[in-house]
Amino acid sequence: MKRLLELLGFLLLVQGAGGVVHDLSDERYGWGLLRRFGFLGSYELYASIAMIVLAVALFTAAESRPAE
């Protein structure tokens, strides 16, 4: 379970950081999951920051679990 939490945290961290970099650099074509969701509209930056915060929370939860 610890490895799963770390893997999910890493994936969220990479996607969130990519979204922040993309949004702040005004690149026309981006990568990541958030570009695929049309309902976010102009809130991609906030969603990317939320993904980074969730990644930190997953890393913290993984560290609190005993090693298996």
Side-chain angles (χ1 to χ4, degrees):
M1 185 65 146
K2 182 177 181 175
R3 300 292 280 171
L4 178 64
L5 290 174
E6 289 174 344
L7 177 67
L8 289 174
F10 176 74
L11 291 175
L12 283 174
L13 182 66
V14 168
Q15 290 294 318
V20 168
V21 168
H22 168 72
D23 198 54
L24 294 179
S25 67
D26 291 332
E27 205 174 298
R28 182 175 178 175
Y29 298 105
W31 57 273
L33 294 175
L34 292 179
R35 304 293 299 165
R36 307 277 187 236
F37 299 120
F39 65 88
L40 288 174
S42 62
Y43 297 108
E44 287 99 2
L45 178 63
Y46 301 117
S48 297
I49 293 171
M51 287 176 80
I52 293 172
V53 170
L54 183 58
V56 170
L58 284 174
F59 287 139
T60 304
E63 287 298 317
S64 69
R65 307 253 330 152
E68 296 174 4

